Amino acid sequence: MIHNRAFFLAACLVACGARPPEAPPVVAIPGDAPAPVAAAAPRDDPKPPPRIRPWVWETDEPRARARASREGLPLLVHLSADWSAASLMMAREVWSDPRILLQRTPLVALRIDLTDGSASPDAELWAERYGARVVPTTIVFDAEGREVARIDGACTVEDVLAAIGRAAADP
């Protein structure tokens, strides 16, 4: 059985394109022992690859909105509840997927818990504020705060990535 840490590390390495170091090539010199040849230095790309930032959930709405505004980033808001089977499925299958955790679009992710008696006891107010008719609901806002995607109910990794892509592509 693969441990979660080992799986996550392996997924990170695969997503980043990491490879084990290669041995330097060996050239045979007639009448002598083989001699290693210095490997060529990697060429400098004019444009470095985008920095991958691991997915981190914010739980404080004012702080998440302020950070998104300050940094000019899209905001993803996910309303979920412990009593919702679809929310639990998404936590297990979507939000923990390496394609989501290591996606390249920088954004601010805000999770709002609508479970009664949780840290946010005003579940009805949150649902009304975001117009959530179904739990879970995922909404993506562009850097200017305009809603560019709404996913009512459970969704797939591809649905979330497409919504994030719309926010990043929005001029």
Side-chain angles (χ1 to χ4, degrees):
M1 181 171 138
I2 298 176
H3 293 286
N4 287 341
R5 283 188 184 164
F7 175 76
F8 183 75
L9 179 61
C12 291
L13 291 174
V14 169
C16 295
R19 295 188 180 109
E22 297 177 9
V26 175
V27 176
I29 300 173
D32 212 3
V37 175
R43 65 180 183 90
D44 292 328
D45 287 333
K47 182 179 167 188
R51 183 172 170 236
I52 297 175
R53 299 165 94 178
W55 191 279
V56 178
W57 285 105
E58 296 276 348
T59 56
D60 182 276
E61 189 208 21
R63 185 180 354 198
R65 285 191 169 278
R67 185 172 146 232
S69 176
R70 181 179 62 250
E71 296 179 21
L73 297 174
L75 174 68
L76 180 141
V77 178
H78 179 67
L79 293 98
S80 64
D82 289 348
W83 46 260
S84 166
S87 293
L88 297 174
M89 181 279 302
M90 285 187 68
R92 187 178 59 248
E93 297 176 15
V94 176
W95 304 124
S96 63
D97 189 290
R99 294 173 290 172
I100 293 287
L101 294 171
L102 299 173
Q103 59 86 29
R104 294 182 182 271
T105 304
L107 60 84
V108 176
L110 169 65
R111 178 179 289 161
I112 297 176
D113 188 359
L114 301 178
T115 305
D116 293 332
S118 70
S120 59
D122 302 320
E124 290 181 33
L125 295 174
W126 285 117
E128 184 179 324
R129 176 175 181 157
Y130 286 101
R133 299 179 308 272
V134 177
V135 175
T137 294
T138 305
I139 309 164
V140 180
F141 298 92
D142 67 9
E144 276 73 49
R146 295 180 303 249
E147 183 178 319
V148 295
R150 175 179 290 264
I151 305 168
D152 293 322
C155 62
T156 64
V157 170
E158 291 77 16
D159 295 333
V160 173
L161 292 175
I164 292 169
R166 276 181 260 161
D170 197 34

